[in-house]
Amino acid sequence: MKLGILICDQVQPQLQAEFGDYPDMFGDILHKVDSTLEVVYFSAINQQLPEDIQACDAYMTSGSRYGVNDEQPWIRELETFIRQLYKAGIGFAGICFGHQLIATSLGGRVEKSPKGWGIGIAFSDVAAPQSWMSPMKNNINIVVSHQDQITELPPESQVLMGNDFCPYSMIKVGDNFVGLQGHPEFSRAYSYALMDSRRDRISAERIEQGSASLVHQADDLLAMQWLVNFLKQVK
């Protein structure tokens, strides 16, 4: 399968020496999940989307420091591209920012959560098991980093996973779209470094809570395996 990764941001320059940039993160975990994947990258943030939606068999997004409601031309262009993918029945997996873009592109709503930042490890229960969730697990621990959340689902949505903080943490829309609020490509070390770099906007109490959650193992490989499994079975 040829998988196109739509890059929606860059890792902060001061963190790249230790953690690399988003293509490094995605390349590493995707190779571990399936070494036969052909992975190519497109800089959505620089308005470098595929000229032909058929250029890849399926697509996936990175996260972004931007919000889906920000008035950025590249975000509006990406929404148009996502609508084209949905209409064409091409597989798409939205991660964090991309998860929320599924909602805004297809008629849902995303808002800044009054609950504040979701950081560290989130613990979600599987509400609707799917055949592609293999190997199966009833709950998933995954790194998160977000302020915004989906508050209104688009039509033809099914909630697959959620928790009290983020009820729509994984959704499926139609037969070819899946969205995940978490970051399977983020390591726990990167999660800590990222929240530590944002002490100017995240409270010390929330960072303490997020840091404490990192003692738990993340189901990063399993979550990415599920996304790849999903994309492979999209017809």
Side-chain angles (χ1 to χ4, degrees):
M1 179 174 73
K2 186 175 182 179
L3 177 61
I5 309 296
L6 308 175
I7 300 296
C8 303
D9 204 353
Q10 290 181 315
V11 170
Q12 297 175 39
Q14 71 272 20
L15 301 180
Q16 288 193 24
E18 182 175 358
F19 300 105
D21 208 344
Y22 286 122
D24 303 299
M25 295 180 184
F26 276 95
D28 181 60
I29 191 168
L30 286 168
H31 181 77
K32 291 176 181 176
V33 165
D34 184 349
S35 61
T36 70
L37 288 172
E38 179 185 356
V39 182
V40 294
Y41 301 93
F42 301 93
S43 182
I45 194 171
N46 290 317
Q47 299 177 284
Q48 296 171 2
L49 294 171
E51 293 182 7
D52 182 357
I53 60 172
Q54 303 288 344
C56 297
D57 300 308
Y59 294 89
M60 185 179 290
T61 61
S62 76
S64 181
R65 77 190 68 184
Y66 293 96
V68 294
N69 296 316
D70 292 349
E71 284 305 322
Q72 297 279 337
W74 70 271
I75 296 177
R76 303 287 81 81
E77 289 183 13
L78 184 53
E79 283 183 331
T80 298
F81 185 79
I82 288 171
R83 282 191 289 269
Q84 292 172 344
L85 294 178
Y86 187 68
K87 184 177 180 180
I90 296 172
F92 176 74
I95 290 178
C96 192
F97 176 81
H99 169 71
Q100 297 167 10
L101 269 177
I102 290 175
T104 57
S105 300
L106 301 180
R109 181 184 297 273
V110 171
E111 297 174 290
K112 196 174 299 295
S113 173
K115 301 172 187 175
W117 280 85
I119 50 176
I121 298 280
F123 312 96
S124 297
D125 294 324
V126 176
Q130 306 290 305
S131 61
W132 43 266
M133 291 179 174
S134 178
M136 183 59 199
K137 195 166 183 276
N138 292 325
N139 43 66
I140 290 288
N141 304 341
I142 193 164
V143 171
V144 296
S145 181
H146 64 105
Q147 290 187 89
D148 293 352
Q149 292 193 35
I150 295 174
T151 55
E152 183 179 327
L153 293 166
E156 300 186 37
S157 294
Q158 181 182 15
V159 179
L160 305 183
M161 199 161 65
N163 54 53
D164 290 341
F165 183 85
C166 182
Y168 306 143
S169 58
M170 189 178 199
I171 64 171
K172 183 168 77 76
V173 186
D175 296 322
N176 59 312
F177 271 32
V178 67
L180 178 67
Q181 184 57 72
H183 285 278
E185 78 282 13
F186 283 7
S187 67
R188 288 180 292 166
Y190 179 68
S191 172
Y192 177 77
L194 186 59
M195 68 177 83
D196 189 52
S197 74
R198 291 173 168 170
R199 290 184 180 274
D200 61 330
R201 69 201 80 168
I202 307 176
S203 71
E205 179 183 10
R206 182 53 61 90
I207 289 178
E208 183 178 356
Q209 293 168 347
S211 300
S213 73
L214 296 175
V215 300
H216 297 275
Q217 291 290 332
D219 295 307
D220 48 358
L221 284 171
L222 180 62
M224 186 61 82
Q225 180 71 68
W226 286 4
L227 297 180
V228 170
N229 290 348
F230 172 83
L231 294 174
K232 285 182 175 180
Q233 58 85 55
V234 173
K235 304 300 181 184

